[in-house]
Amino acid sequence: MKGIKSILTVFLTLNAFWLYAQREDAGNYDYDTEILFGVNKNTNGGLIGGFSFKYGSRIDDSQFQFFGLDLANVKDPREVRYNTVLGSSYIFGKTNYLYAVRPYYGRELILFKKAPQQGVQVSLLGAVGPSIGIIAPYIIQYQVSRLETVREQFNPEVHQSRFNVLGPGRVFEGLGNSDIAFGGNAKAAVYFEFGVFRSNVTGLELGYQLEGFTKEIPLMAATDNKQIFQSVYFTFFYGFRK
């Protein structure tokens, strides 16, 4: 909850700045394109589930089309963090990371337009696209003996004692030994837009995401691995339009 409050505070602060700096632009809502950047939180992610980019263009008065790209770290809901004697934390039993790259195309239908300088615009949207899964090994630092430690991918047959784990690997360590999985993704959402100026927009997207791959993704040892992932998510967007 602290992370969600921090993200919300940043977006509200940015929006307040634009409210002050662009008052002369208020009330003008005619725009044909928009570029949005977002931060995502979902039920398959951590504190920050991923990042989003979206480019939209007008079809008519009530419809937009958009192209987007999501970058997400997909986690297994059974992951549990443990603290080590060195003060760090790690996930015992985790064998791989899954980084999902999701390009997509979608449509947005505006249900309710807001009045000038007030209210909220409400839209429905849906999108589909391919998924590229980057399966990177989860590296740990493991104490083999009192004098020897190793850094290697977690292996349940070798690393049987969680008390010998000294910590996780470095950020993106092992990424060069990644495997690739291909699949597809689809999502449906409700979008709330709060911006009051033509040249900038702040919004919140609440939705459901479904993603599948052509093979099972080994995220955890001694558990049933999945090839289909579903989640509920919300994304804070901030961007520009003209």
Side-chain angles (χ1 to χ4, degrees):
M1 289 299 296
K2 291 182 179 179
I4 296 175
K5 291 180 179 179
S6 298
I7 296 172
L8 181 59
T9 300
V10 171
F11 274 85
L12 291 177
T13 302
L14 288 173
N15 193 49
F17 172 78
W18 281 96
L19 287 176
Y20 175 79
Q22 298 188 15
R23 288 178 181 174
E24 70 278 3
D25 201 26
N28 187 351
Y29 295 97
D30 293 329
Y31 59 94
D32 293 316
T33 61
E34 60 183 9
I35 298 175
L36 304 177
F37 302 91
V39 179
N40 175 275
K41 171 72 175 176
N42 64 78
T43 52
N44 283 338
L47 177 62
I48 296 179
F51 301 94
S52 299
F53 169 80
K54 188 162 64 174
Y55 173 83
S57 61
R58 179 186 297 276
I59 298 176
D60 55 36
D61 288 343
S62 61
Q63 290 189 78
F64 272 75
Q65 63 177 350
F66 55 86
F67 298 90
L69 178 66
D70 290 346
L71 304 176
N73 178 17
V74 181
K75 296 189 175 185
D76 191 295
R78 293 164 290 192
E79 294 182 8
V80 178
R81 283 195 169 274
Y82 297 92
N83 293 323
T84 72
V85 294
L86 299 180
S88 60
S89 65
Y90 70 99
I91 303 169
F92 188 77
K94 185 176 181 67
T95 56
N96 291 286
Y97 291 103
L98 173 58
Y99 301 111
V101 181
R102 306 171 184 145
Y104 58 82
Y105 170 81
R107 293 288 185 94
E108 176 182 346
L109 175 65
I110 300 175
L111 298 181
F112 304 102
K113 293 184 178 181
K114 63 175 181 286
Q117 303 187 53
Q118 63 182 347
V120 178
Q121 181 168 291
V122 181
S123 305
L124 293 178
L125 61 86
V128 296
S131 288
I132 302 172
I134 302 173
I135 307 169
Y138 183 72
I139 306 297
I140 62 169
Q141 183 177 359
Y142 192 79
Q143 184 173 27
V144 179
S145 67
R146 297 179 62 180
L147 300 177
E148 181 184 3
T149 61
V150 295
R151 302 175 68 89
E152 57 192 9
Q153 182 180 14
F154 176 82
N155 184 336
E157 297 181 359
V158 176
H159 312 118
Q160 298 182 355
S161 173
R162 68 181 181 86
F163 299 103
N164 286 14
V165 180
L166 302 180
R170 295 182 291 270
V171 177
F172 301 125
E173 184 176 1
L175 193 62
N177 297 320
S178 299
D179 191 13
I180 300 294
F182 297 97
N185 69 86
K187 63 180 175 180
V190 180
Y191 181 64
F192 302 91
E193 192 250 287
F194 307 105
V196 299
F197 302 114
R198 184 180 73 89
S199 60
N200 74 288
V201 56
T202 304
L204 174 64
E205 181 177 311
L206 305 175
Y208 168 80
Q209 177 98 48
L210 179 66
E211 183 170 42
F213 295 93
T214 56
K215 62 181 180 180
E216 293 184 350
I217 310 297
L219 295 180
M220 298 286 292
T223 61
D224 295 330
N225 295 305
K226 301 184 296 182
Q227 64 185 102
I228 296 178
F229 299 84
Q230 53 183 335
S231 65
V232 177
Y233 72 91
F234 64 85
T235 302
F236 286 107
F237 280 106
Y238 189 83
F240 311 92
R241 58 196 182 191
K242 59 182 181 179

